[in-house]
């Protein structure tokens, strides 16, 4: 895992590392066992898992982006943001209940 940018506490980062490892394992298992015609891909399964874990432990509302190549622009709550790579995937996790002030 390589952290590219964050303002999270060390404990929150360790939580995300643990949940990311579990997400990759769960996604691989889900892809092996999913029924024909299922539309969830590897990136979506990983994002869904991490989002669910973050919302259980750190309360809503969390957003997770997983992919090989993407751009993003968003507003996040202070101390609730991380961009990192894991197993060749770029992952962005952030919490946002902040209203848009445009």
């Amino acid at each position: 895992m390589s952290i590219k940018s964050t303002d999270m506490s060390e404990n929150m980062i360790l939580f995300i590392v643990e949940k990311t490892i579990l997400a990759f394992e769960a996604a691989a298992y889900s892809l092996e066992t999913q029924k024909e015609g299922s539309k969830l891909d590897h990136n979506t399964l990983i994002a869904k898992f991490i989002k669910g874990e973050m919302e259980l432990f750190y309360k809503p509302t969390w957003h997770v982006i997983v992919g090989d190549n993407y751009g993003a622009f968003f507003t996040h709550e202070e101390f609730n943001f991380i961009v990192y790579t894991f197993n060749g995937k770029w992952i962005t996790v952030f919490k946002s209940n902040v209203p848009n002030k445009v």
Side-chain angles (χ1 to χ4, degrees):
M1 181 167 158
S2 175
I3 297 172
K4 304 302 180 182
S5 181
T6 190
D7 65 358
M8 289 182 168
S9 69
E10 188 173 327
N11 286 340
M12 194 179 278
I13 292 169
L14 292 173
F15 182 86
I16 285 196
V17 169
E18 176 186 336
K19 298 309 176 185
T20 299
I21 293 167
L22 292 174
F24 272 76
E25 291 171 356
Y29 178 76
S30 290
L31 286 174
E32 289 175 10
T33 61
Q34 76 179 230
K35 296 176 182 162
E36 227 175 283
S38 179
K39 300 200 186 236
L40 294 179
D41 65 17
H42 194 248
N43 294 341
T44 303
L45 291 167
I46 293 166
K48 186 175 180 181
F49 186 96
I50 295 171
K51 177 182 173 60
E53 293 295 313
M54 294 302 289
E55 291 191 350
L56 276 174
F57 196 81
Y58 289 105
K59 308 298 179 222
T61 299
W62 287 88
H63 308 277
V64 182
I65 305 166
V66 178
D68 301 312
N69 184 13
Y70 62 87
F73 183 82
F74 51 84
T75 302
H76 67 87
E77 292 182 14
E78 190 174 27
F79 310 119
N80 290 285
F81 163 79
I82 188 169
V83 175
Y84 59 102
T85 59
F86 184 83
N87 279 5
K89 299 286 184 186
W90 282 79
I91 304 170
T92 301
V93 180
F94 64 98
K95 186 173 188 177
S96 180
N97 290 324
V98 181
N100 192 357
K101 298 180 182 180
V102 177

